[in-house]
Amino acid sequence: MHWHILGAGSLGTLWAARLARANVPVTLLLRNRQRLASYRQGGGLTLVEQGHASLYPVPAQSVDDTSPIRLLLLACKAYDAEEAVASVAHRLSSDAEVVLLQNGMGSQDAVAARLPRARCIPASSTEGAFRDGDFRVVFAGHGHTWLGDPLNPTPPAWLADLQNAGISHEWTPDILGRLWRKLALNCAINPLTVLHDCRNGGLLEHPAEVATLCAELSEVLHLCGQPDAAEHLAEDVQRVIHATAANYSSMHQDVAQGRRTEISYLLGHVCAVAQRHNCTVPHLQFLLQRLQAELSSKGLSTT
Ligand code: NAD
Ligand code: KPL
């Protein structure tokens, strides 16, 4: 199986370098010919692991190349997913599979609606990576990736490539439950870390605020048919806060670095779903308003 990877950022580069290292055929898809030229000038992707940098000359194309794509890893941010996949939709084969690495929810359905013939496979990852240069990624936190197809529980044969590449993963029939649970954890933690300008552990000083959000999040999860994802949510949020006390949440990092957040696919999505079900979630709604005001005051997008 030949992998094409669209989105040469942190996670896309991390996957590409490890697949290439395991001799799995992989091609990076870059936004345009200018990006392709600058990639080729650098000679490939650099992966930094435990302070050690290795260069992988992964082949690359621009999205307007015409060769067919059978297996695509979509590794851009949730707010870019639809447009990015549209740029290569005409290249997807009739039996194409598309792995969706986006955090939060909402973008997966939008992509699937654009690609009615493709098998869309959402993924949820706890791996951590960041860019410290163009086409250069630091593997900052070992984690695990869950993948699944909500419409078809049969695992794809190419999971063996992930095994060979040392990408820790699991095929799950309940990927939606996984995504909802991670979304709920993110909503209970990330916006508050931005508003209180603190590390995750700083939320230990705001137990009532966190507990109230968990209660409303559980209500929304039940309404959308995800009771398992609601189980012991408050306890799990406390566990994550303790386990990651010294870290800044991904949303805090985005805001601190002046980057657009994925708010519409996280807290924004939960509030929109609650509204669709006529479910009042005043604390989540107020949190969203405060977060949007904070982003706006910093000149960042509120969507
Ligand atoms: P990133 O911003 O580092 O990389 C995204 C890349 O996609 C960028 O290089 C961007 O230029 C590219 N891109 C966007 N639109 C494009 C288009 N139309 N054509 C071609 N390229 C395009 O993002 P990331 O950190 O790798 O995150 C990707 C997703 O994975 C996000 O939803 C994020 O929340 C999730 N995630 C990230 C991490 C992490 O540690 N980085 C961990 C877990 C989940
Ligand atoms: O995933 C996270 C993030 O920072 O995005 C955790 C660590 C769970 C905090 O919500």
Side-chain angles (χ1 to χ4, degrees), residues 114-297:
R114 275 203 176 250
L115 307 176
R117 289 187 314 160
R119 183 185 193 193
C120 288
I121 297 176
S124 176
S125 182
T126 59
E127 290 196 314
F130 63 88
R131 284 181 282 177
D132 74 343
D134 220 10
F135 304 116
R136 209 184 132 92
V137 64
V138 179
F139 193 1
H142 286 261
H144 194 75
T145 302
W146 286 265
L147 308 101
D149 177 349
L151 305 175
N152 175 359
T154 313
W158 47 256
L159 290 179
D161 292 342
L162 305 188
Q163 191 68 33
N164 294 336
I167 298 174
S168 173
H169 70 282
E170 185 179 324
W171 181 258
T172 169
D174 186 26
I175 188 63
L176 294 182
R178 284 259 161 214
L179 286 167
W180 273 110
R181 179 64 162 216
K182 173 118 191 284
L183 176 56
L185 285 167
N186 281 175
C187 289
I189 297 173
N190 297 12
L192 286 179
T193 63
V194 172
L195 293 170
H196 293 296
D197 190 13
C198 66
R199 295 174 197 265
N200 293 352
L203 299 187
L204 294 170
E205 288 167 32
H206 306 277
E209 214 175 353
V210 175
T212 310
L213 295 178
C214 287
E216 289 188 0
L217 286 162
S218 294
E219 210 179 321
V220 179
L221 290 172
H222 278 281
L223 276 174
C224 355
Q226 296 292 338
D228 291 352
E231 196 142 322
H232 306 301
L233 177 63
E235 290 93 321
D236 206 21
V237 166
Q238 286 307 317
R239 181 192 60 77
V240 172
I241 289 175
H242 280 281
T244 62
N247 301 352
Y248 283 108
S249 75
S250 55
M251 187 178 271
H252 188 285
Q253 292 177 42
D254 282 342
V255 173
Q257 290 170 37
R259 292 190 303 242
R260 183 175 173 185
T261 69
E262 294 177 302
I263 177 176
S264 295
Y265 302 87
L266 299 168
L267 184 57
H269 183 78
V270 170
C271 288
V273 168
Q275 199 167 18
R276 272 209 295 278
H277 284 91
N278 290 321
C279 168
T280 47
V281 283
H283 296 87
L284 288 170
Q285 197 62 53
F286 185 45
L287 183 68
L288 179 61
Q289 282 166 16
R290 285 155 68 206
L291 182 60
Q292 285 173 328
E294 179 69 15
L295 296 176
S296 187
S297 75

Side-chain angles (χ1 to χ4, degrees), residues 6-13 29-32 35 63 74-81 83-85 87 101-104 124-131 182 250 254 259 262:
L6 181 55
S10 308
L11 280 197
T13 304
L29 297 172
L30 301 175
R31 199 187 285 268
N32 52 43
R35 285 292 287 159
V63 292
L74 186 64
C76 56
K77 290 282 171 73
Y79 48 76
D80 284 327
E83 193 184 323
V85 91
S87 73
L101 264 186
Q102 288 62 49
N103 205 5
S124 176
S125 182
T126 59
E127 290 196 314
F130 63 88
R131 284 181 282 177
K182 173 118 191 284
S250 55
D254 282 342
R259 292 190 303 242
E262 294 177 302

Side-chain angles (χ1 to χ4, degrees), residues 8-53:
S10 308
L11 280 197
T13 304
L14 181 64
W15 280 56
R18 289 179 296 176
L19 287 167
R21 180 163 67 187
N23 294 318
V24 174
V26 52
T27 299
L28 273 182
L29 297 172
L30 301 175
R31 199 187 285 268
N32 52 43
R33 287 170 196 200
Q34 209 178 345
R35 285 292 287 159
L36 182 60
S38 95
Y39 172 74
R40 287 189 172 147
Q41 209 164 25
L45 296 177
T46 301
L47 172 58
V48 183
E49 289 169 294
Q50 287 154 356
H52 179 76

